Amino acid sequence: AASSDAQILLRDTVESTSAQEELQQAKDMMEEAARKANQAEEDKANAEIALEDTSRAEVKAARTLEKARLEKAQVKEKIRQATSRSAAGIAEERLAEAKKREAKEQAASQDIAELAHLKEAH
């Protein structure tokens, strides 16, 4: 009877130890699942932050691009104006040169007329 009691006690101890090991394994698995869930939440939060950062960067890039387009248009307009002024300046210079040539030609004509008149007088 004593050996039967010892066998039962040994069997109960083995079963208890096995149950404790299974319980510990279940606890470990639950802890690992909780860690993974926490990591997933952290990853999700980081992804949301990255998405917000990306959106802000896109908005900033769009503003920068629009500003660059505006500056490009302003530069083109300044070039157009400068070209117009330059063309007007060149035209004015040519007109002034033509007037000078015309004045010289008139002076030369007058000189010739005076010489001819003097020649006739002699």
Side-chain angles (χ1 to χ4, degrees), residues 5-121:
D5 287 341
Q7 285 178 339
I8 292 172
L9 184 58
L10 181 60
R11 187 191 66 208
D12 288 348
T13 303
V14 169
E15 286 177 2
S16 174
T17 302
S18 179
Q20 283 178 350
E21 287 173 359
E22 288 177 15
L23 180 61
Q24 186 59 47
Q25 286 175 354
K27 283 181 182 179
D28 292 345
M29 289 170 61
M30 286 175 54
E31 287 174 3
E32 183 63 23
R35 274 195 299 277
K36 286 181 179 179
N38 288 338
Q39 185 62 48
E41 282 295 319
E42 189 176 321
D43 291 348
K44 179 183 172 193
N46 288 337
E48 288 171 351
I49 290 168
L51 185 59
E52 288 172 8
D53 289 346
T54 300
S55 295
R56 280 194 293 275
E58 286 174 346
V59 168
K60 185 176 180 181
R63 283 188 196 132
T64 302
L65 181 59
E66 187 57 34
K67 185 177 177 183
R69 285 182 179 149
L70 181 61
E71 288 173 359
K72 181 180 177 183
Q74 290 171 342
V75 167
K76 279 186 171 182
E77 178 60 19
K78 286 179 182 178
I79 290 170
R80 188 195 63 73
Q81 290 173 356
T83 302
S84 294
R85 282 194 304 272
S86 177
I90 291 169
E92 287 175 9
E93 285 175 20
R94 287 182 181 166
L95 181 60
E97 288 171 12
K99 285 181 179 180
K100 285 179 188 176
R101 276 196 308 272
E102 187 179 336
K104 284 181 183 178
E105 287 170 6
Q106 283 181 349
S109 293
Q110 284 178 351
D111 289 345
I112 290 172
E114 286 176 16
L115 286 173
H117 181 67
L118 289 174
K119 193 175 187 183
E120 285 177 14

